[in-house]
Amino acid sequence: MKACIAYDRYNTIARPFDGRLTHTKAIMMTSLVWLYTIPWAVLPVLKFWGRYVPEGYLTSCTFDYLTTTFDNKMFVGTLFTFSYVFPMSLIIYYYSQIVSHVANHEKALRDQAKKMNVESLRSNQNAGSSSVEIRIAKAAITVCFLFVASWTPYAVLALIGAFGDQTLLTPGVTMIPACTCKFVACLDPYVYAISHPRYRIELQKKLPWLAITEKDVETTSNTTETTTPAQAT
């Protein structure tokens, strides 16, 4: 799902006119996610390939990464590739493209403003406000970091269990990935919401004591671009 969100954000920024998410696209992307993930969840249930076993302090279950049969090692390796490496690669690619696209766009605006002998082509631009590319970069880094922080421990744990030294995997150690995944799953919606300007505006209205300084989207969109003369040095 994070890879799909990264793809949607990339399309929205790189192709603002024809890349916006529609109802049909949303249904197709959601269906694709379900079709992609269902086999990895159902196959262990049916014990057709892999199986579920208790983990850690036996308070939850996960796929079996401790059985050292060839078939089980193949399952762990395949799951690692398609459920970790592939989504991680897509997330890194799309968010890096977003940062690159926004940075190039901002550079083009600055170059054009310099040619026109103006300070900025943007309206109501505060000198102390963060630039657009920095905000996009922060959101991209945060999302990538959360994915790495939540699923890398599980990936490493599974690889150690299937291909490495299993004596390293004590009950306490195996509970760490379970806790990180559950924690980040609860944290993700807030990260996506807080990075959205409209949500920040509503949060600013409801909780002014948070001191969120977000411009009103409607006010900003109704303001025409200004060409402020550059200050003489």
Side-chain angles (χ1 to χ4, degrees):
M1 180 59 75
K2 286 189 177 182
C4 287
I5 294 175
Y7 170 75
D8 170 60
R9 290 192 172 186
Y10 167 74
N11 261 351
T12 302
I13 294 175
R15 301 161 56 198
F17 295 105
D18 56 353
R20 292 193 176 276
L21 184 66
T22 62
H23 185 69
T24 303
K25 285 183 180 179
I27 293 177
M28 290 179 61
M29 291 172 66
T30 305
S31 301
L32 180 63
V33 170
W34 277 97
L35 290 174
Y36 185 84
T37 56
I38 282 177
W40 306 113
V42 172
L43 289 176
V45 172
L46 302 177
K47 295 185 179 180
F48 183 80
W49 198 18
R51 61 172 184 162
Y52 288 115
V53 294
E55 67 175 339
Y57 296 118
L58 309 182
T59 56
S60 60
C61 67
T62 185
F63 61 92
D64 182 11
Y65 49 77
L66 296 177
T67 302
T68 57
T69 61
F70 175 78
D71 187 65
N72 197 67
K73 288 183 177 181
M74 283 292 296
F75 175 76
V76 173
T78 305
L79 188 64
F80 171 77
T81 301
F82 287 94
S83 297
Y84 179 80
V85 176
F86 184 58
M88 174 72 77
S89 301
L90 290 178
I91 290 172
I92 293 175
Y93 171 76
Y94 284 122
Y95 276 111
S96 64
Q97 289 298 308
I98 289 173
V99 174
S100 175
H101 179 84
V102 174
N104 291 335
H105 178 68
E106 291 294 310
K107 183 178 182 299
L109 287 179
R110 288 193 296 268
D111 292 342
Q112 184 64 28
K114 186 181 297 184
K115 291 179 181 179
M116 297 173 62
N117 195 30
V118 297
E119 288 184 350
S120 174
L121 297 179
R122 293 186 177 277
S123 60
N124 298 332
Q125 186 181 41
N126 296 325
S129 62
S130 299
S131 61
V132 177
E133 67 266 25
I134 292 178
R135 295 185 62 181
I136 294 294
K138 286 181 179 179
I141 291 172
T142 302
V143 170
C144 292
F145 171 77
L146 287 177
F147 187 85
V148 172
S150 60
W151 289 108
T152 298
Y154 234 128
V156 173
L157 192 75
L159 293 179
I160 292 175
F163 305 100
D165 184 6
Q166 294 186 359
T167 59
L168 300 174
L169 306 181
T170 63
V173 170
T174 56
M175 282 302 296
I176 295 175
C179 292
T180 57
C181 290
K182 290 178 175 62
F183 172 72
V184 174
C186 297
L187 192 62
D188 275 346
Y190 296 97
V191 173
Y192 284 115
I194 290 175
S195 64
H196 197 287
R198 291 187 181 276
Y199 180 86
R200 289 171 59 85
I201 290 172
E202 292 302 319
L203 195 62
Q204 178 177 291
K205 294 177 181 178
K206 301 294 183 182
L207 304 173
W209 51 270
L210 290 178
I212 299 174
T213 56
E214 186 71 35
K215 293 181 180 180
D216 195 329
V217 178
E218 294 182 358
T219 303
T220 304
S221 61
N222 291 333
T223 306
T224 58
E225 292 186 346
T226 61
T227 56
T228 305
Q231 295 179 353
T233 56

